[in-house]
């Protein structure tokens, strides 16, 4: 146990989205990821999507506030994710997390982002350090 | 810049955590905008020198880059307004076709801040259509 965190603890779920065309354009503008696949409905439909897919990074990045809202005293030292399924424009996303490992120096959290599909959109992980650990 | 058959290194690129852009990025991803988001360095993938290489590769092979995975590992926090040096190693794998972008962020005094890995699957247009 570390900081009162228990193995198997589930983080409060967070729902984000649905994201409209304006939201995707704003993310493209700020991130510089102007890949037309995310912005051009005609292009997206030409390769078989019913709507443009949301930038995966927009969703992965949303895990940071989720983790901070759960335990603001912890430092996030690593965040990663595999993009398994696209989330399409207009779809909501459920972010979940579960503590899989706890030590005096690190908390390991498995993360999932689920859209309407059966498979998760993102399978991710975060590593956090307790406040007693030096992290400049 | 150095180039061999499948690897290319770039950098250092001197880049800044622009406070306004970092706040906007945070707000667009659910954050409060009070600190630099962990994922903020993703914006540096759009640096013209780096983006041109990715776009040229995709054009030459008639592929669409699909973000397959992303990781950030920090040893120091990013500070708003601070400048950093970005070192990038691009690896092009052919089976399956992927572009692996390994980036290292250092302070201007050469302290390691973070390592980042971006993997882009390079999918031919016709296969993309079949899979979607």
């Amino acid at each position: 146990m570390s900081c009162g965190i228990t193995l198997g603890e589930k983080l409060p779920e967070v729902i984000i989205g649905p994201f409209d065309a304006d939201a995707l354009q704003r993310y493209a503008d700020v991130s510089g990821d102007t890949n037309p696949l995310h912005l051009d409905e005609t292009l997206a439909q030409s390769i078989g999507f019913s709507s443009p897919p949301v930038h995966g990074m927009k969703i992965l990045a949303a895990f940071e506030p989720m983790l901070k809202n759960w335990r603001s005293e912890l430092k996030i030292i690593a965040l990663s994710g595999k993009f398994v399924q696209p989330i399409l424009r207009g779809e909501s996303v459920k972010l979940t997390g579960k503590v899989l490992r706890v030590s005096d120096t690190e908390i390991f959290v498995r993360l999932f982002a689920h859209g309407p599909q059966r498979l998760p959109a993102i399978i991710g992980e975060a590593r956090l350090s307790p406040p007693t650990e030096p992290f400049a | 810049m150095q180039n061999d058959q499948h690897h290319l290194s770039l950098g250092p690129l001197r880049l800044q955590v622009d406070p306004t852009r970092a706040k906007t990025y945070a707000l667009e991803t659910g954050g409060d905008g009070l600190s630099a988001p962990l994922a903020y360095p993703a914006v540096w993938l759009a640096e013209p020198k780096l983006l041109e290489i990715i776009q040229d590769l995709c054009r030459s092979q008639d592929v669409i880059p699909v973000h397959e995975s992303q990781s950030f590992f920090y040893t120091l926090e990013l500070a708003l307004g601070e400048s950093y040096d970005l070192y990038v190693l691009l690896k092009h794998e052919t089976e399956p076709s992927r572009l692996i972008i390994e980036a290292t962020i250092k302070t201007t005094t050469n302290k390691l801040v973070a390592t980042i890995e971006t993997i882009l699957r390079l999918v031919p247009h016709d296969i993309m259509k079949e899979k979607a």
Side-chain angles (χ1 to χ4, degrees):
Chain A
M1 180 181 289
S2 178
C3 301
I5 295 167
T6 54
L7 198 63
E9 180 174 343
K10 292 182 179 177
L11 281 64
E13 290 181 3
V14 173
I15 305 292
I16 59 173
F19 302 109
D20 60 14
D22 286 346
L24 300 193
Q25 184 63 59
R26 289 197 307 272
Y27 182 80
D29 290 343
V30 70
S31 69
D33 183 355
T34 56
N35 185 340
L37 182 62
H38 302 294
L39 306 172
D40 185 335
E41 186 158 1
T42 304
L43 174 63
Q45 289 177 348
S46 76
I47 57 171
F49 292 114
S50 57
S51 295
V54 176
H55 302 79
M57 270 308 306
K58 179 173 172 64
I59 301 168
L60 180 64
F63 281 113
E64 182 184 3
M66 176 197 189
L67 290 160
K68 285 182 172 175
N69 288 335
W70 170 57
R71 293 279 184 163
S72 61
E73 74 277 19
L74 303 179
K75 292 284 186 188
I76 307 168
I77 56 176
L79 175 67
S80 63
K82 291 182 193 292
F83 304 106
V84 180
Q85 289 276 334
I87 295 289
L88 302 183
R89 195 180 72 191
E91 295 178 344
S92 295
V93 187
K94 180 171 74 175
L95 307 181
T96 61
K98 184 176 181 181
V99 177
L100 293 190
R101 200 165 57 238
V102 181
S103 72
D104 291 338
T105 57
E106 189 176 286
I107 296 104
F108 178 94
V109 180
R110 171 65 66 207
L111 302 166
F112 290 101
H114 270 96
Q117 292 87 3
R118 187 177 60 83
L119 290 174
I122 298 176
I123 301 174
E125 60 186 55
R127 292 164 51 195
L128 303 95
S129 64
T132 52
E133 285 301 299
F135 181 82
Chain B
M1 187 177 354
Q2 298 174 331
N3 193 2
D4 59 26
Q5 198 168 13
H6 290 288
H7 291 60
L8 185 148
S9 60
L10 194 63
L13 305 174
R14 178 68 51 94
L15 299 164
Q16 191 204 28
V17 181
D18 177 77
T20 303
R21 192 178 188 187
K23 181 176 182 178
T24 306
Y25 189 93
L27 296 176
E28 287 299 328
T29 54
D32 57 17
L34 299 177
S35 58
L38 282 174
Y40 181 80
V43 311
W44 291 335
L45 291 177
E47 276 300 301
K49 283 183 182 173
L50 182 53
L51 191 59
E52 280 173 21
I53 293 168
I54 298 170
Q55 290 175 334
D56 285 350
L57 178 66
C58 291
R59 268 194 296 268
S60 69
Q61 302 204 348
D62 194 25
V63 293
I64 295 174
V66 176
H67 207 161
E68 185 171 284
S69 69
Q70 181 68 50
S71 68
F72 303 92
F73 178 79
Y74 280 88
T75 52
L76 295 171
E77 288 180 282
L78 287 177
L80 294 172
E82 196 63 60
S83 292
Y84 297 93
D85 288 332
L86 182 73
Y87 299 80
V88 182
L89 177 64
L90 296 108
K91 299 177 183 177
H92 182 205
E93 293 183 351
T94 52
E95 291 193 10
S97 186
R98 285 191 176 98
L99 184 62
I100 301 171
I101 304 167
E102 296 175 352
T104 302
I105 301 171
K106 294 183 175 181
T107 66
T108 55
T109 55
N110 207 36
K111 286 184 181 173
L112 178 65
V113 174
T115 54
I116 300 164
E117 184 187 73
T118 302
I119 299 181
L120 302 175
R121 187 78 177 262
L122 304 177
V123 185
H125 281 86
D126 51 348
I127 291 179
M128 187 85 182
K129 187 172 182 178
E130 286 171 14
K131 285 189 172 181

